[in-house]
Structures are given as C-alpha cells and as structure tokens.
Amino acid sequence: MRKLSELKKDCCGVIASVNGDSRFVSRITSIGLTPGCRVKVIKNEWHRPLLVFSRDTMIALNRKECDWIEVAEAV
C-alpha cells in the first residue's frame, strides 16, 4: 500500500482505504473516491495540489488529504 501522494505522474492505482475524520471521509466518498475506485495521477508537483482523474472527473486534492488515502498500484 502507498499513499496517493506517492504515486508519480501517469501512474494508476486502486483506492484501498480512505482514512481520517468522518467529515473528510464523507466529503471524499461523496465525490466518488471510494475503495475499489481506479484513479490516474495527472499532475504531482512538489508543493502543489495533486490532480487525479477518476470516474470521468478531474479532481484536485490537497497534499495532506492525499496522505489519508491509501492506494494499491494498478497494472
């Protein structure tokens, strides 16, 4: 398992778990980032929000938030 923020640009992963307080988990799952969901990292630049593509949607995530999302790297 890796943190979402550790995936490099153009890498794909499958969300394994979403951790954090209930407010964060509720917000993240409501935008479609749920366990089992595939994500592709579009942009991962230092000190910038992480840009991911999932379920036909582009999503920008705060780096701290990405540390609470664990992914398994997809082939």
Side-chain angles (χ1 to χ4, degrees):
M1 283 319 149
R2 300 169 71 181
K3 296 176 183 177
L4 180 56
S5 59
E6 294 173 350
L7 290 182
K8 305 283 187 212
K9 180 182 177 188
D10 296 325
C11 285
C12 293
V14 176
I15 295 180
S17 67
V18 178
N19 305 304
D21 61 18
S22 60
R23 184 176 177 199
F24 171 74
V25 172
S26 175
R27 186 170 61 84
I28 291 300
T29 56
S30 71
I31 60 174
L33 296 179
T34 57
C37 174
R38 289 182 62 92
V39 294
K40 180 178 181 181
V41 176
I42 303 300
K43 214 176 226 189
N44 188 356
E45 297 175 357
W46 191 248
H47 296 297
R48 301 290 245 186
L50 192 75
L51 191 61
V52 298
F53 184 79
S54 178
R55 300 182 192 246
D56 297 327
T57 306
M58 195 81 64
I59 303 165
L61 295 168
N62 176 314
R63 289 201 160 272
K64 184 177 179 182
E65 294 174 343
C66 293
D67 289 342
W68 295 341
I69 301 172
E70 293 183 348
V71 296
E73 201 160 346
V75 265

